[in-house]
Amino acid sequence: MRSLRRAAIALPPAVAIALMYLLSRAVTTGFLLGAAELSGPRSRFGADATLGTLTMGWDAQWYWLIAFSGYPAELPLDAAGHVAQNAWAFMPVYPVITGAVGWVVGGFPVAAPLVSATAGYLACLVLFALLGRRIGRAAAMWAVAFFSFAGPMAALFQLGYAESLFQLWLLLALLAVERRRWWWLYLWIPLMAFTRPGVLAFSLMLALYGIWRWLRRQHDDLQPREIAHVVASGLLAAACGFAWPVITGIVTGDPGAYLQTELAWRRSWIGDHGGFVPFDGTMQAAVLWSGIWGIPAWVCLAGLAAIVVLATLLLVADRRVRRLGVPIRLWSAAYVLYLLAVFFPQSSTFRLLVPLSPLWGAVALPRALWWRISVLVLGIAAQWWWIHTMYALGSSFAQIP
């Protein structure tokens, strides 16, 4: 064991992470093959499911459609005259990159897992760089292991989803803030904004970061150029966050096209619910799930409030989280607030929590080997649970990733 540990330490981080990442992808591939074998006639994928059909399942179909035919100029309507689910809910960077790679490697279904897996590996490298200075090489390497192996959503690193690419841009942007390489933000922010929703949370994070730096200016010199960069990049993130709805409205001729498109997914859960009101989706979801679970709505709301309070205490007071640095803590707080404001909690909740992955660093800090191995084993088990539920089963409203 000691000789193996010494050999691992002697490897360059990029090589060690590559070996770890390849092993994690082999585990996920095995799980997907198992899910394909277990898929039955009631599953969305049928009894003849394959690794390829699972890889290109669910939202991957929308990205494939965008790469093939672009976005509709006219919004589709359902039988009641409401805007139906359509491609405008999905940002263009991932399908554009994957479509271009597909011309070289033999099609979008081949390119999609390659792009996702490559972005995932690069994200692992950036996560190691982001955490290494804060928590040390060993803990940072364990955090990368949890990131690539553990947790329900590790499969996203090789599915036709945009999450791993968004995670790459996000981690690069956080690294730029951590190391104060401000010019890089003008590249990473637009890429992030047009890969997946969430850049408005980054704008909020930069605003909070600017306030924090201002309050500490006597202990940490704040140059005028830094103020200019923080303000400019924060405004850029806000502008990019609202740009896609504007583009959608211009192309379709309907100013509310993007918002109505997003609400179409919520309508499939709770029917016609009116327009968008910040934080209302969280309340509506509490009522929905309380009915499904057969418990009072106030119990769901109280549980949610307890989770929010606990998360706040961890971000503010927990010494392990504090060691990750202010940018990660502020990003985590801003992103949770963003989700509470705009998201309707449902079966995609685990997937929407992936941008909180830098917090794996806090999980990796306890040095006890039994703790780290236990987290890894539990995370791998959770990954199998998610793949089996969403792909081998995939037959009910609550089994949509």
Side-chain angles (χ1 to χ4, degrees):
M1 179 65 74
R2 290 183 179 179
S3 60
L4 182 62
R5 182 180 179 183
R6 285 196 296 268
I9 293 174
L11 287 174
V15 176
I17 291 171
L19 295 174
M20 182 193 308
Y21 189 72
L22 288 173
L23 181 58
S24 69
R25 301 286 58 80
V27 170
T28 299
T29 300
F31 286 165
L32 289 170
L33 288 171
E37 187 68 24
L38 294 173
S39 179
R42 295 186 61 188
S43 168
R44 177 186 179 98
F45 300 95
D48 58 348
T50 66
L51 178 63
T53 57
L54 267 57
T55 300
M56 290 305 300
W58 300 115
D59 285 359
Q61 294 287 312
W62 287 107
Y63 290 115
W64 192 0
L65 175 66
I66 294 166
F68 179 75
S69 59
Y71 294 91
E74 184 175 341
L75 293 173
L77 303 177
D78 61 20
H82 300 298
V83 174
Q85 296 177 4
N86 65 85
W88 283 109
F90 302 89
M91 308 299 184
V93 169
Y94 179 77
V96 168
I97 292 176
T98 306
V101 174
W103 281 102
V104 178
V105 299
F108 192 94
V110 179
L114 289 177
V115 171
S116 294
T118 301
Y121 169 65
L122 295 175
C124 287
L125 294 179
V126 181
L127 180 63
F128 179 81
L130 179 64
L131 296 175
R133 292 185 180 182
R134 291 282 181 176
I135 64 176
R137 171 175 170 144
M141 197 65 74
W142 275 101
V144 171
F146 298 155
F147 179 56
S148 58
F149 266 105
M153 308 313 303
L156 289 174
F157 288 126
Q158 60 196 81
L159 299 177
Y161 276 62
E163 267 74 9
S164 60
L165 193 61
F166 178 85
Q167 195 69 26
L168 173 60
W169 310 138
L170 169 63
L171 292 172
L172 284 167
L174 286 173
L175 184 64
V177 175
E178 172 72 22
R179 297 188 177 180
R180 302 179 184 180
R181 308 278 178 81
W182 304 111
W183 286 107
W184 283 107
L185 289 179
Y186 302 106
L187 173 61
W188 307 135
I189 285 174
L191 287 171
M192 193 192 322
F194 293 101
T195 299
R196 273 198 53 77
V199 76
L200 289 176
F202 199 82
S203 177
L204 175 59
M205 184 276 286
L206 286 171
L208 295 174
Y209 177 83
I211 294 171
W212 174 75
R213 288 291 307 279
W214 176 260
L215 294 175
R216 296 188 72 255
R217 64 190 183 278
Q218 292 183 346
H219 307 284
D220 184 2
D221 188 31
L222 182 60
Q223 298 292 329
R225 65 176 185 83
E226 284 195 281
I227 297 175
H229 279 303
V230 171
V231 172
S233 57
L235 291 175
L236 175 64
C240 288
F242 289 108
W244 189 244
V246 172
I247 293 170
T248 305
I250 292 173
V251 174
T252 62
D254 181 352
Y258 176 73
L259 189 57
Q260 291 304 313
T261 295
E262 289 287 2
L263 292 177
W265 267 263
R266 190 178 302 184
R267 193 177 296 115
S268 66
W269 286 81
I270 58 176
D272 187 14
H273 48 77
F276 170 76
V277 177
F279 300 100
D280 184 54
T282 301
M283 304 301 152
Q284 291 178 342
V287 174
L288 170 70
W289 288 107
S290 66
I292 293 173
W293 294 334
I295 60 177
W298 69 266
V299 175
C300 285
L301 290 171
L304 177 63
I307 292 173
V308 171
V309 171
L310 178 60
T312 303
L313 291 175
L314 286 174
L315 291 174
V316 171
D318 186 85
R319 61 180 180 82
R320 290 175 293 270
V321 177
R322 291 173 66 90
R323 281 190 60 181
L324 302 182
V326 169
I328 289 177
R329 292 165 61 205
L330 290 180
W331 159 253
S332 301
Y335 186 71
V336 169
L337 182 61
Y338 167 81
L339 286 184
L340 290 172
V342 306
F343 181 51
F344 177 81
Q346 27 84 357
S347 59
S348 297
T349 298
F350 283 117
R351 180 164 59 86
L352 271 292
L353 294 177
V354 170
L356 296 175
S357 292
L359 293 176
W360 279 121
V363 181
L365 269 173
R367 294 185 178 183
L369 184 60
W370 69 265
W371 166 261
R372 289 169 169 174
I373 292 178
S374 297
V375 170
L376 193 62
V377 170
L378 289 173
I380 292 172
Q383 184 186 171
W384 166 245
W385 166 82
W386 187 83
I387 291 174
H388 178 262
T389 301
M390 301 300 175
Y391 289 88
L393 301 180
S395 58
S396 78
F397 68 95
Q399 295 167 343
I400 302 172

